[in-house]
């Protein structure tokens, strides 16, 4: 919460599906994230696609 309160962008890139992620993390935690990239959103790791997608959503350079 301190990172969020400081105005820093946060994101999560995971191999989990969006549906399963809801079972793994409480809604209060997911609400703190600015971007969440799941398995169905991008080519899975080790491909960098998920990280690049998250950075694009955050308007941050790689």
């Amino acid at each position: 919460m301190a990172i969020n309160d400081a105005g820093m962008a946060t994101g999560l890139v995971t191999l989990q599906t969006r549906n399963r992620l809801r079972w793994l993390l409480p809604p209060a935690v997911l609400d703190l994230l600015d971007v969440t990239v799941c398995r169905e959103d991008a080519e899975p790791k080790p491909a960098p696609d998920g990280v690049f997608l998250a950075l694009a959503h955050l308007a941050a350079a790689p």
Side-chain angles (χ1 to χ4, degrees):
M1 289 189 315
I3 291 172
N4 192 282
D5 291 343
M8 290 186 256
T10 57
L12 171 70
V13 177
T14 180
L15 285 173
Q16 300 300 323
T17 63
R18 194 164 303 284
N19 205 20
R20 183 177 166 118
L21 191 59
R22 292 185 209 134
W23 289 91
L24 297 173
L25 292 175
V29 172
L30 291 172
D31 288 344
L32 292 172
L33 299 172
D34 296 300
V35 64
T36 305
V37 177
C38 296
R39 171 179 292 226
E40 60 268 27
D41 300 324
E43 185 70 26
K45 300 174 203 172
D49 301 10
V51 173
F52 289 145
L53 181 59
L55 289 171
H57 280 282
L58 296 172

